[in-house]
Amino acid sequence: MIQVTCPFCNTTAQFSQGLWRCNPCCALGEADPKTKKLKGVMANQVTWSLRKRCYSFYEELVTRHKFNGLSKTQARKKISDDMNAVFATEEEGLFKLNRLDEDDIKIALQALERLNQETVPVCPYCSNQSNYISSKSIYRCDPCDAQVGVHKDTTIPLGTMANKELRAMRKKAHSYLDPLWRYKAASQNIAKMKARKAAYEWLAKKMEIHVDDCHVGQFDTEQCQQVIQHCAPYINLAMSKMKKV
């Protein structure tokens, strides 16, 4: 039987909903969902909150690296190397945020914020870094006429940079895909995010790619053509029924 002791008060922690909890200290520790073994070390409320912020910046940085052409595995390896450099260690394996105490997690948070600010989209046509135009909320490479928008109230790219031709193809692909999930949301009275997720899961299977890589904002011209091809048999029916919903 697995037993976890709180490092703050030496009280035996209780397992609940995938976490080890120490009620007297309000300390938490993430557990392996299968074995219930503690992953890393337990954290008090301050450190736990800082870790959550770090994970948010970490995932954002993974996304940015993916938009610049790295796989998820390569992105995580790069971040791990960058963070090991911050802490001057050569530890093998991926960098583990859940092992850090309060002082170290603050250092990690500052480092991840800085890495996010430094990681701007690279133009896929000339391999130069783009410029962020705050007035238009886009990253742009003027020589290549390539650009990409950002998520609302952030500087996180909506996808990879695209020239005028590819932007037009992505817009067309969206015009075929989006009515399908919008009709699903309206006709089945479900949340738009849930309907959109289901649509992308369906599309990923059709395109025979992983759902994590299935985003129109990351597709090239050929992939956009596939989107149109897969959605075309359903688009007219969805559009006509949308008028009646």
Side-chain angles (χ1 to χ4, degrees):
M1 183 177 179
I2 299 177
Q3 182 172 309
V4 174
T5 301
C6 173
F8 303 102
C9 68
N10 293 323
T11 298
T12 300
Q14 304 297 315
F15 183 79
S16 175
Q17 298 181 337
L19 298 172
W20 287 99
R21 303 169 183 269
C22 173
N23 292 325
C25 295
C26 296
L28 299 171
E30 186 181 1
D32 183 283
K34 294 183 178 179
T35 65
K36 295 185 180 180
K37 288 184 178 180
L38 184 66
K39 295 167 65 175
V41 297
M42 296 187 69
N44 59 23
Q45 290 295 300
V46 172
T47 305
W48 185 263
S49 178
L50 290 171
R51 280 184 187 173
K52 288 180 67 176
R53 290 181 62 193
C54 276
Y55 280 122
S56 178
F57 280 117
Y58 178 90
E59 291 301 326
E60 178 181 333
L61 192 53
V62 168
T63 300
R64 286 175 176 272
H65 284 313
K66 284 180 63 182
F67 288 160
N68 282 337
L70 298 184
S71 68
K72 183 178 286 188
T73 299
Q74 291 171 330
R76 288 175 174 171
K77 177 64 167 57
K78 176 169 177 51
I79 297 170
S80 181
D81 291 343
D82 289 341
M83 294 302 292
N84 281 336
V86 170
F87 286 91
T89 67
E90 297 181 358
E91 184 177 347
E92 294 185 1
L94 295 179
F95 187 79
K96 302 295 184 182
L97 292 170
N98 56 17
R99 296 179 182 175
L100 304 183
D101 60 20
E102 183 176 341
D103 291 335
D104 283 343
I105 204 70
K106 288 179 179 178
I107 295 173
L109 180 61
Q110 292 177 345
L112 287 168
E113 286 180 309
R114 175 177 54 79
L115 289 171
N116 267 294
Q117 292 170 355
E118 293 175 353
T119 308
V120 300
V122 173
C123 176
Y125 306 102
C126 68
S127 300
N128 290 322
Q129 286 190 326
S130 59
N131 296 312
Y132 182 65
I133 304 175
S134 58
S135 60
K136 296 183 177 180
S137 296
I138 61 170
Y139 289 97
R140 181 169 174 79
C141 174
D142 287 326
C144 300
D145 185 27
Q147 65 185 51
V148 63
V150 297
H151 289 274
K152 185 178 180 180
D153 298 326
T154 76
T155 57
I156 305 172
L158 284 166
T160 57
M161 297 188 67
N163 60 17
K164 186 176 181 179
E165 178 186 0
L166 182 53
R167 293 198 300 273
M169 282 301 301
R170 287 177 176 176
K171 185 176 181 179
K172 186 175 180 179
H174 270 299
S175 73
Y176 275 74
L177 177 63
D178 293 355
L180 301 188
W181 62 258
R182 289 196 176 108
Y183 170 67
K184 182 179 180 68
S187 62
Q188 298 182 15
N189 194 28
I190 60 177
K192 289 183 178 180
M193 288 298 294
K194 185 176 180 180
R196 184 177 181 275
K197 180 181 178 183
Y200 271 99
E201 288 173 345
W202 168 80
L203 183 61
K205 290 180 181 179
K206 288 287 187 179
M207 296 178 67
E208 298 182 348
I209 59 177
H210 195 281
V211 68
D212 289 346
D213 299 320
C214 190
H215 297 283
V216 174
Q218 294 176 241
F219 287 167
D220 57 23
T221 300
E222 182 180 345
Q223 289 173 313
C224 289
Q225 290 284 13
Q226 292 180 45
V227 175
I228 295 167
Q229 178 183 347
H230 291 306
C231 296
Y234 312 100
I235 185 66
N236 289 335
L237 181 62
M239 293 289 283
S240 62
K241 288 190 174 181
M242 274 292 291
K243 296 178 182 178
K244 300 177 183 179
V245 174

